Amino acid sequence: YTILSKVHSDRNVYPSAGVLFVHVLEREYFKGEFPPYPKPGEVSNDPITFNTNLMGYPDRPGWLRYIQRTPYSDGVLYGSPTVENVGKPTIIEITAYNRRTFETARHNLVINIMSAEDFPLPYQAEFFIRNMNVEEMLASEVLGDFLGAVKNVWQPERLNAINITSALDRGGRVPLPINDMKEGVYVMVGADVPFSSCLREVENPQNQLRCSQEMEPVITCDKKFRTQFHIDWCKISLVDNTKQVSTFQEVIRGEGILPDGGEYKPPSDTLKSRDYYSDFLITLAVPSAIALVLFLILAYIMCCRREGVEKRNMQTPDIQLVHHSAIQKSTKELRDMSKNREIAWPLSTLPVFNPVTGEIVPPLHTDSYDNTSMPLMQTQQ
């Protein structure tokens, strides 16, 4: 069901298209490529990381993934080869970095993808395992145990592991570092017989209702997985390729569909140089000249066309100027009088007789009286 190989220099491997391929990059092998540990007698445990890429390219092929949790763990290449790459050798450059000595070692892995006679398997099921990480599931013994449990439930003649995908690659979130929580992993398997009644139980209306209410569905064969694998039955996917109908439809051209314009013809490499001087004049020089003219006109109006006080008086009638001057003089006189209130009030502003008896009333204040606080008009007694 899987091809598991060790790391060797310029190793040739022969995976099958549509079958899970796993290749382990062992740190123990690459330790021999680096200098010994500085102190004799001590065990070397240098941190080693790997970089993998397709020869001549910066990254790996689209179907091939790589994972290494820490510099003290082995790296793993895994993926499901495609039919398009059958017969084409894929050379992967593996570069090991020693993080202690900063030295590198490079090896080549030649992947020769073979065609599978019974590929693709028509019945495919994808399981979501919640208590596993992808590197744990890629271990041969763990994957073998899972396929054994699936085979007991499904009872197929042929069963292959097609692909393994981390839940993080499907939009999952990184779990909290508590209670040893796992990321989760999707495992797709294929078989040559229809799905068993146990797998079909997830399609029951009762189980669909429980899944919609975020409740665990009732699956009779769950106990065969529960001892080691916690499967989320609400996320299981069953695909029957024998009932897949081609959905290709002829495109009817109409509104919203552009006509075929033929092949794209890029411009010639020998392009003539263009003079942007005229564009500069139109874009920058002309607006600047117009702004300068407007500034000069405004400056002439504001600075050179001022009338002044003398010209204003010459254009004003004499009688208006006399009235204005008289008002100013009267205002100035009133202000001066308000400043001289300490002078004795004139008798004409005081009552000289009693309006009831007719007797002469003496002044209400003497010369030594502080008349600055007296009101202008006295209250009649």
Side-chain angles (χ1 to χ4, degrees):
Y1 57 86
T2 181
I3 297 178
L4 183 62
S5 59
K6 304 297 183 180
V7 177
H8 296 283
S9 177
D10 298 340
R11 175 71 181 272
N12 285 269
V13 292
Y14 301 88
S16 298
V19 180
L20 180 64
F21 165 73
V22 180
H23 184 83
V24 181
L25 308 180
E26 293 185 345
R27 296 174 62 256
E28 294 296 333
Y29 173 81
F30 285 93
K31 286 181 181 180
E33 302 290 335
F34 302 117
Y37 208 68
K39 295 182 180 181
E42 293 187 5
V43 179
S44 175
N45 191 24
D46 296 341
I48 299 175
T49 58
F50 301 95
N51 182 38
T52 59
N53 63 281
L54 182 65
M55 179 174 288
Y57 295 89
D59 204 353
R60 298 175 299 276
W63 61 270
L64 188 62
R65 299 186 182 94
Y66 168 75
I67 186 172
Q68 183 186 15
R69 288 290 178 178
T70 65
Y72 297 96
S73 60
D74 296 335
V76 182
L77 286 169
Y78 67 100
S80 181
T82 58
V83 183
E84 292 78 8
N85 296 325
V86 172
K88 301 177 182 178
T90 302
I91 302 177
I92 303 297
E93 293 181 341
I94 302 173
T95 306
Y97 296 90
N98 189 323
R99 296 303 177 181
R100 179 182 63 86
T101 61
F102 301 100
E103 293 191 357
T104 62
R106 176 170 295 178
H107 299 272
N108 293 334
L109 177 68
V110 182
I111 303 176
N112 303 281
I113 302 175
M114 309 295 292
S115 60
E117 297 179 358
D118 54 350
F119 177 80
L121 295 174
Y123 303 96
Q124 299 177 2
E126 187 177 52
F127 299 85
F128 177 64
I129 305 174
R130 293 178 294 184
N131 64 328
M132 288 287 176
N133 289 336
V134 62
E135 71 276 5
E136 298 174 347
M137 197 66 197
L138 289 172
S140 59
E141 60 275 6
V142 177
L143 185 58
D145 295 341
F146 176 76
L147 293 178
V150 174
K151 192 171 185 179
N152 292 334
V153 172
W154 201 338
Q155 297 296 329
E157 295 182 3
R158 288 186 55 84
L159 182 67
N160 290 337
I162 297 178
N163 200 2
I164 291 181
T165 308
S166 174
L168 300 181
D169 297 334
R170 297 286 188 89
R173 301 179 63 181
V174 179
L176 295 175
I178 56 176
N179 299 330
D180 195 21
M181 297 182 65
K182 304 295 183 179
E183 299 170 357
V185 60
Y186 290 89
V187 180
M188 177 177 287
V189 298
D192 55 350
V193 298
F195 303 108
S196 63
S197 59
C198 173
L199 299 180
R200 290 290 187 182
E201 290 179 359
V202 297
E203 299 177 351
N204 294 339
Q206 296 81 4
N207 287 330
Q208 292 294 326
L209 179 61
R210 294 178 66 88
C211 289
S212 63
Q213 297 175 352
E214 297 183 357
M215 299 175 60
E216 190 73 19
V218 179
I219 307 297
T220 57
C221 58
D222 181 55
K223 58 183 179 180
K224 296 184 179 181
F225 296 91
R226 184 64 62 175
T227 57
Q228 188 176 0
F229 307 100
H230 295 171
I231 296 178
D232 189 347
W233 292 100
C234 292
K235 293 185 178 180
I236 188 173
S237 175
L238 304 178
V239 180
D240 187 356
N241 291 326
T242 60
K243 298 181 181 179
Q244 296 293 332
V245 181
S246 177
T247 58
F248 175 77
Q249 297 180 359
E250 183 180 358
V251 178
I252 301 176
R253 300 189 180 277
E255 296 182 359
I257 301 179
L258 298 177
D260 187 9
E263 296 183 358
Y264 172 71
K265 295 180 181 180
S268 175
D269 296 337
T270 59
L271 297 177
K272 296 181 180 180
S273 60
R274 181 179 176 182
D275 186 11
Y276 291 95
Y277 182 73
S278 58
D279 297 340
F280 168 76
L281 293 179
I282 296 175
T283 306
L284 186 61
V286 173
S288 301
I290 296 175
L292 180 61
V293 172
L294 295 177
F295 174 76
L296 294 177
I297 294 175
L298 182 62
Y300 172 75
I301 294 174
M302 298 296 294
C303 300
C304 302
R305 299 289 297 175
R306 297 184 63 181
E307 296 180 353
V309 178
E310 296 180 357
K311 186 175 182 180
R312 182 196 63 187
N313 294 338
M314 293 175 60
Q315 295 179 355
T316 305
D318 294 340
I319 187 63
Q320 186 175 354
L321 293 176
V322 170
H323 290 170
H324 181 70
S325 178
I327 292 173
Q328 285 185 339
K329 290 180 180 179
S330 300
T331 303
K332 185 176 182 299
E333 183 178 359
L334 290 175
R335 290 177 178 175
D336 294 339
M337 290 175 62
S338 64
K339 295 178 181 179
N340 299 326
R341 290 183 178 181
E342 63 276 2
I343 303 176
W345 292 356
L347 296 177
S348 60
T349 61
L350 299 175
V352 296
F353 62 92
N354 193 318
V356 179
T357 61
E359 296 179 357
I360 297 176
V361 178
L364 298 179
H365 59 83
T366 59
D367 295 340
S368 62
Y369 185 80
D370 185 9
N371 53 19
T372 58
S373 61
M374 295 294 293
L376 296 179
M377 300 296 295
Q378 297 295 326
T379 305
Q380 295 290 340
Q381 299 294 334

